Amino acid sequence: MSEREMCLFCKIADKKIPCKMVYEDDSVFAIEDINPKAPVHLLVIPKRHIESLANLNQEDESIIGQLGHLLSIVSILACKRGLHDGGFRTVMNSGAGAGQSVFHLHLHLLGGRSFQWPPG
Ligand code: AMP
Ligand code: ZN
């Protein structure tokens, strides 16, 4: 079985698993987190399978560009959810030791409550 067939977020990107999709374009999609940790908890995900930031190919300009695009979508989604004034938290866990549980790079967009710093 290929990596894409085994990966949860690849399967969601390929519409093989249902989700609450809130945004989609050619390279990025965003879904509601199934187990939200804040009133707003979205996952913004590149369609291309990359395990984590630790697995970025620095020479691959196209993926670097896609991640810049991903961040611009995060800003738009935060605005649409009314989070620009009150603040929002963005988190990208890289590796099990940092709390990553789905090994397909994704960015958490959390908002609608206050957050502590430093995070746990
Ligand atoms: P992380 O622990 O940083 O890898 O984040 C993975 C996130 O994916 C967690 O917040 C989970 O709640 C979320 N998640 C797991 N399965 C699904 C699913 N089927 N649909 C939406 N979110 C999911
Ligand atoms: Zn994947």
Side-chain angles (χ1 to χ4, degrees):
M1 208 185 255
S2 74
E3 198 164 52
R4 206 160 178 91
E5 286 169 324
M6 292 187 331
C7 169
L8 174 66
F9 289 165
C10 285
K11 285 195 255 186
I12 289 177
D14 294 341
K15 311 277 165 36
K16 289 178 178 148
I17 291 183
C19 71
K20 286 190 190 156
M21 181 98 53
V22 297
Y23 176 84
E24 182 175 21
D25 64 28
D26 286 348
S27 62
V28 169
F29 65 103
I31 62 176
E32 301 276 359
D33 196 291
I34 204 166
N35 184 16
K37 304 294 190 297
V40 176
H41 188 172
L42 303 180
L43 302 173
V44 191
I45 310 172
K47 286 187 174 174
R48 190 157 147 199
H49 182 90
I50 305 154
E51 214 172 291
S52 78
L53 275 187
N55 302 83
L56 264 195
N57 177 355
Q58 307 292 341
E59 280 147 38
D60 186 346
E61 297 281 335
S62 67
I63 186 59
I64 310 284
Q66 281 179 25
L67 292 182
H69 172 64
L70 184 148
L71 284 180
S72 78
I73 300 305
V74 170
S75 178
I76 290 166
L77 290 172
C79 182
K80 279 192 175 161
R81 295 299 177 107
L83 302 178
H84 273 199
D85 288 342
F88 55 91
R89 175 70 57 86
T90 49
V91 176
M92 198 180 272
N93 297 320
S94 299
Q100 188 175 8
S101 60
V102 178
F103 292 90
H104 176 133
L105 188 150
H106 54 280
L107 187 138
H108 297 258
L109 167 59
L110 301 130
R113 66 167 171 85
S114 57
F115 295 91
Q116 303 299 312
W117 191 262

